[in-house]
Amino acid sequence: MLKVRFLGHSCFTLSDGKHTVVIDPFLSGNPACPIQADELSVDAVLVSHGHSDHLGDAIPLSKRCKAPVISCYEVVGWCVGQGAEGHGMHIGGAHRFEWGRVKLTPAWHGSGIETPQGVVYGGTPCGFVVEMGGKTVYHTGDTALFGDMELIGRLNKIDLALMPIGDNYTMGPEDAVEAVRMIKPNRVVPMHYDTFELIRQDAAAFSRRVERLADCTVLKPGGTLEL
């Protein structure tokens, strides 16, 4: 069994009862996050790209929990330079950890890391196909719709797809429906919407649009789903 918890924006935890990983830990400063960063204990920190609303608390979490940041090589290198632990990867690569397997997928977005000295190169943004607790979860990361989503769905039996619907910075609801059609997951949870006014969306309307393609669960921040 795998327990999936939504912590607002694009942040989720995946727990198999023994291990917990967090994806895109935007906790501090996230108006939708229902917990404090120091309430979370994890075995790994997955970061889809370097933007602050995804990198978030990755470094302090890594330091406190002695958990590796798992991301593209450039993001991990920057985090390690700030004192975090890290495991660098790149698009198309996979690695098996004690708690499960991660494969990095493409994502059409940017990845600059904002620092007081300016924006640092953050490599290539990514998504994750995570195998954990006998289930497969595809977190698309921040992305536009792209044709290779069909290939990702064909090569992996996706139990749950986590995908943005906010528009403006990522694909919106219409493109996300097409993404579901291509990926063919068993279940879908929308993300990256309503955190800020610019990405406000009607998640219930999206759910109705995809219900003939996959089961869709709209999670409120703090809500959980068991697979």
Side-chain angles (χ1 to χ4, degrees):
M1 184 191 76
L2 188 67
K3 185 175 182 179
V4 180
R5 187 183 186 196
F6 181 45
L7 295 178
H9 204 50
S10 296
C11 180
F12 293 84
T13 59
L14 309 178
S15 302
D16 63 5
K18 183 178 179 182
H19 301 98
T20 298
V21 303
V22 64
I23 305 175
D24 283 355
F26 178 37
L27 308 171
S28 302
N30 178 357
C33 183
I35 67 169
Q36 299 297 313
D38 59 8
E39 297 178 51
L40 193 60
S41 180
V42 298
D43 297 280
V45 183
L46 279 60
V47 177
S48 65
H49 63 290
H51 292 167
S52 60
D53 58 333
H54 297 265
L55 180 62
D57 293 278
I59 292 170
L61 270 174
S62 174
K63 290 179 178 179
R64 178 169 56 82
C65 299
K66 301 189 184 306
V69 175
I70 300 170
S71 185
C72 74
Y73 185 83
E74 291 82 0
V75 167
V76 168
W78 186 83
C79 290
V80 169
Q82 310 304 307
E85 299 187 18
H87 181 98
M89 300 179 66
H90 246 308
I91 306 300
H95 186 78
R96 187 167 296 280
F97 300 88
E98 178 185 356
W99 46 266
R101 181 177 183 267
V102 176
K103 185 171 186 176
L104 267 60
T105 65
W108 282 94
H109 198 59
S111 188
I113 302 169
E114 301 157 36
T115 76
Q117 292 74 38
V119 177
V120 175
Y121 176 61
T124 306
C126 69
F128 302 101
V129 174
V130 181
E131 298 174 13
M132 186 178 181
K135 302 296 181 180
T136 300
V137 176
Y138 175 27
H139 186 295
T140 69
D142 274 14
T143 189
L145 176 69
F146 60 98
D148 282 351
M149 285 180 164
E150 188 276 333
L151 183 61
I152 294 168
R154 179 156 57 85
L155 296 179
N156 302 274
K157 183 182 178 296
I158 304 297
D159 294 295
L160 173 65
L162 309 171
M163 60 177 57
I165 65 167
D167 220 346
N168 196 77
Y169 299 112
T170 67
M171 59 184 174
E174 296 82 5
D175 284 356
V177 171
E178 184 60 29
V180 173
R181 185 175 287 111
M182 290 194 290
I183 298 165
K184 296 181 172 60
N186 291 332
R187 305 187 77 159
V188 180
V189 170
M191 65 177 186
H192 205 280
Y193 70 97
D194 281 7
T195 319
F196 313 107
E197 185 61 35
L198 187 58
I199 57 172
R200 196 161 299 284
Q201 295 291 341
D202 186 342
F206 169 76
S207 179
R208 291 191 295 271
R209 292 186 64 181
V210 299
E211 61 184 8
R212 60 189 174 84
L213 301 173
D215 291 336
C216 183
T217 302
V218 177
L219 290 177
K220 295 181 178 180
T224 61
L225 177 65
E226 292 185 354
L227 302 177

